[in-house]
Amino acid sequence: MSGYVGSVLSRDKIDGETWDELEEALIRADVGVATTTDILDRLRATIDKQGITEPQALLDALKAQLKADLAPGDRTLRYEAGAPNVWLFVGVNGVGKTTTIGKVGKQQAEAGRTVVMAAGDTFRAAAAEQLGTWAERANAELVRGDEGGDPSSIIFDAVQRAAARGHDLVLADTAGRLHTKVNLMEELRKVRRVADRDPGKVTEVLLVLDATTGQNGLVQAQQFTEAVDLTGVVLTKLDGSAKGGIALAIQATLGIPIKLVGLGETVDDLVPFDPDEFVDALFSEA
Ligand code: GDP
């Protein structure tokens, strides 16, 4: 949005052009039309009420509003002592699920938890190999099955293994593609049911979204929400050409907290989502 910020500030008043520019800026940043309209309607009401006439004050009000919009929601990764906690990672192919599991596993291991990784994406042969590499780095156990095997049974095995050995966490990869979308969603529901059976307990269902896919991410989020109760979103690839506005659309439309953000391919490139930093970065003129 940086180019637009300069332009809005270059005029000495708020006029029709200012609003047009803000609208264009938000839409181009992948915020989406509906959320943009809502954001600007509320901003208009605020500046009327507060008698704001300066472009800088207008931008400050917009930033404050966006930060407040993104603030609600518990962003901590839920963990309940006593049972192997299962964190399911769902999302379409290529968004970064496997990589994210690897990063989370390594971070959790560094924090002192013992981790089992379940290679539930049996439709993609390379996924289990990739997860295996991460499991080594995280000193985690890997549970995998045959290619094309039943993901639920792999995750079931992983929970059994974790319970038997007193491990804390099962991080479960899932397929991002099946023959039909209906099949995929049914599969995920089944995986969740199985993972939640005693002795396991599903405490996180994280949707992994690729920020570079823009508004497409919102459609994916809606579809996955219908199938499995999501507890949070991981927004990956914010380091590249991603514009990031999708974060605002997800929060506004679905109210699911964005918990983690991916900023690259190494373990340190997964960080907690910080709404204030995010909004400041969106507007920075650097
Ligand atoms: P999956 O199909 O959802 O399991 O996706 P993968 O984990 O295999 O990731 C797909 C590609 O995206 C890989 O090349 C990853 O290295 C890359 N990737 C994942 N997360 C990030 C990120 O936060 N930033 C960047 N730049 N690349 C990422």
Side-chain angles (χ1 to χ4, degrees):
M1 300 204 14
S2 49
Y4 291 92
V5 168
S7 177
V8 165
L9 290 176
S10 71
R11 288 193 301 280
D12 55 9
K13 61 179 185 349
I14 299 166
D15 53 22
E17 221 173 307
T18 308
W19 291 104
D20 288 348
E21 279 181 340
L22 286 182
E23 184 176 36
E24 195 178 324
L26 289 165
I27 289 171
R28 282 183 172 243
D30 283 339
V31 174
V33 175
T35 306
T36 296
T37 305
D38 171 61
I39 288 169
L40 293 180
D41 284 351
R42 286 184 293 129
L43 184 63
R44 275 199 191 86
T46 305
I47 71 151
D48 280 352
K49 206 166 100 197
Q50 298 183 357
I52 289 171
T53 55
E54 296 282 312
Q56 181 64 59
L58 173 72
L59 286 176
D60 290 344
L62 175 56
K63 281 169 78 169
Q65 178 183 310
L66 296 179
K67 287 178 184 179
D69 285 350
L70 287 170
D74 180 4
R75 285 175 217 290
T76 53
L77 296 169
R78 277 188 270 174
Y79 180 82
E80 293 173 24
N85 280 229
V86 184
W87 293 354
L88 289 177
F89 292 77
V90 302
V92 303
N93 265 357
V95 290
K97 279 187 305 296
T98 310
T99 310
T100 301
I101 291 174
K103 293 172 179 173
V104 170
K106 181 98 170 46
Q107 292 180 356
Q108 291 295 315
E110 279 167 6
R113 288 187 178 140
T114 46
V115 175
V116 177
M117 293 183 187
D121 183 0
T122 57
F123 280 81
R124 198 163 68 84
E129 305 295 331
Q130 209 180 322
L131 204 59
T133 309
W134 279 104
E136 271 170 37
R137 285 184 206 148
N139 218 357
E141 275 195 60
L142 176 73
V143 175
R144 57 181 294 184
D146 298 329
E147 197 179 335
D150 178 13
S152 299
S153 82
I154 292 168
I155 289 158
F156 177 83
D157 287 349
V159 172
Q160 295 297 324
R161 175 103 52 110
R165 306 200 177 169
H167 292 326
D168 302 315
L169 263 179
V170 175
L171 304 180
D173 201 2
T174 60
R177 178 169 52 86
L178 280 184
H179 310 303
T180 68
K181 203 179 76 200
V182 177
N183 279 349
L184 173 60
M185 297 307 167
E186 263 167 24
E187 179 75 64
L188 290 177
R189 272 191 280 265
K190 182 175 163 202
V191 161
R192 194 204 161 108
R193 265 198 319 274
V194 168
D196 214 20
R197 251 182 235 154
D198 202 39
K201 188 168 181 60
V202 175
T203 49
E204 286 287 350
V205 183
L206 296 166
L207 174 68
V208 183
L209 283 182
D210 176 345
T212 61
T213 58
Q215 282 295 300
N216 214 334
L218 188 61
V219 178
Q220 289 168 23
Q222 275 158 336
Q223 291 171 344
F224 279 93
T225 311
E226 281 166 26
V228 277
D229 249 341
L230 299 174
T231 57
V233 169
V234 182
L235 204 55
T236 61
K237 308 188 197 181
L238 262 184
D239 49 314
S241 58
K243 302 159 192 160
I246 187 65
L248 293 162
I250 290 166
Q251 181 91 24
T253 313
L254 300 170
I256 305 168
I258 295 160
K259 295 197 167 180
L260 300 166
V261 164
L263 299 171
E265 309 198 24
T266 74
V267 62
D268 298 324
D269 296 325
L270 187 75
V271 299
F273 178 65
D274 180 327
D276 288 357
E277 249 179 56
F278 174 80
V279 172
D280 288 339
L282 207 57
F283 282 80
S284 81
E285 288 179 82

